[in-house]
């Protein structure tokens, strides 16, 4: 009687462990799919892939700048925030080009080097932009990214999804997938040993 209870408890434990392993594998596959449709396209679409050194030539703040309301539109509107324009010397080619914060900045507003995320408090936004401009004037030499193919004449300060960030994003689902497979393998080994012991 006791032996049957032990066997039943062992089978329940194996079933739960097997479900846990399969669940971890399924979750990791979903995470792979999510990363593949969100982060990977942005990483592969970015043309600013080569790191170099930039030197600040000028950093100006313009209070009023006209910007198209939408891409391809002829209507223009005044920006609700001061426009910071930073021009740098690209050491890789010696050209004078405009610096943007990230790839997203170029798409959101190609006339400004920095686009604030929140526009709730205009004084705070203005103070933040003035601080960024003073930092550029203070630290004039820094690493930046440019397009080696020459399709984009501008440079960016940092990439939204660098190579290290992409590897880090894939790290957790990989660990979960490995752990799930390990649990499944251990359960199968345990079942095989139990069957072998019972047969002997």
């Amino acid at each position: 009687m006791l032996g049957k209870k032990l066997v039943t408890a062992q089978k329940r434990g194996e079933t739960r462990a097997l479900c846990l392993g399969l669940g971890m594998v399924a979750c990791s596959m979903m995470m792979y799919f999510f990363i593949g449709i969100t982060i990977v396209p942005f990483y592969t679409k970015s043309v600013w892939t080569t790191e170099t050194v930039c030197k600040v030539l000028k950093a100006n703040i313009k209070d009023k700048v006209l910007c198209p309301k939408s891409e391809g539109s002829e209507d223009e509107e005044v920006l609700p925030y001061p426009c910071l324009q930073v021009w740098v010397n690209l050491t890789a080619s010696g050209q004078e080009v405009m610096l943007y914060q990230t790839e997203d900045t170029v798409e959101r507003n190609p006339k400004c080097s920095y686009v604030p995320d929140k526009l709730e408090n205009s004084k705070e936004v203005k103070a933040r932009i003035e601080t960024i401009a003073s930092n550029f004037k203070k630290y004039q030499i820094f690493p930046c990214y440019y397009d080696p193919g020459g399709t984009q004449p501008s440079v960016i300060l940092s990439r939204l999804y660098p190579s290290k960030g992409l590897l880090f994003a894939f790290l957790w689902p990989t660990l979960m997938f490995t752990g799930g497979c390990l649990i499944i393998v251990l359960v199968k080994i345990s079942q095989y040993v139990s069957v072998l012991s019972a047969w002997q």
Side-chain angles (χ1 to χ4, degrees), residues 16-17 20 25 44 49 97 117 138 149 178:
R16 290 174 182 174
L20 175 63
V25 171
T44 55
T49 55
V97 295
D117 295 327
K138 185 178 180 181
T178 305

Side-chain angles (χ1 to χ4, degrees), residues 26 50 55 70 76 95 108 153 165 176 187 198:
T50 305
K55 183 178 180 181
S70 60
E76 294 182 326
Q95 294 178 329
R108 291 175 63 186
M176 185 178 292
V187 169

Side-chain angles (χ1 to χ4, degrees), residues 122-134:
S122 58
K123 291 183 179 179
E124 290 182 2
V125 171
K126 187 175 181 180
R128 191 186 316 148
I129 292 175
E130 289 176 351
T131 302
I132 294 172
S134 63

